Amino acid sequence: MRVVPVVVFIFESTRQVRIRLLMPEVSMPLHPALGAVAVIGAICGGYYVSRRK
């Protein structure tokens, strides 16, 4: 159930942003950047939980 608000928030954020992280500055819509961060966070969280057990 926590996925639904995250997906709604991501798809409501459609403005262009400039992102610079270990490469030249890139201009892109905000929703793919938020989606990538959500996926990376889910992977890291899943790894943490699996290592804790």
Side-chain angles (χ1 to χ4, degrees):
M1 283 302 192
R2 297 178 192 188
V3 174
V4 174
V6 172
V7 171
V8 169
F9 178 75
I10 288 171
F11 284 107
E12 288 293 320
S13 305
T14 57
R15 67 185 177 94
Q16 289 285 112
V17 294
R18 288 181 291 167
I19 300 172
R20 182 175 181 156
L21 179 65
L22 302 175
M23 64 179 136
E25 194 170 278
V26 177
S27 180
M28 63 186 299
L30 185 57
H31 60 277
L34 289 173
V37 170
V39 169
I40 291 169
I43 291 170
C44 291
Y47 177 74
Y48 176 75
V49 168
S50 70
R51 294 284 295 176
R52 200 164 173 210
K53 290 183 178 180

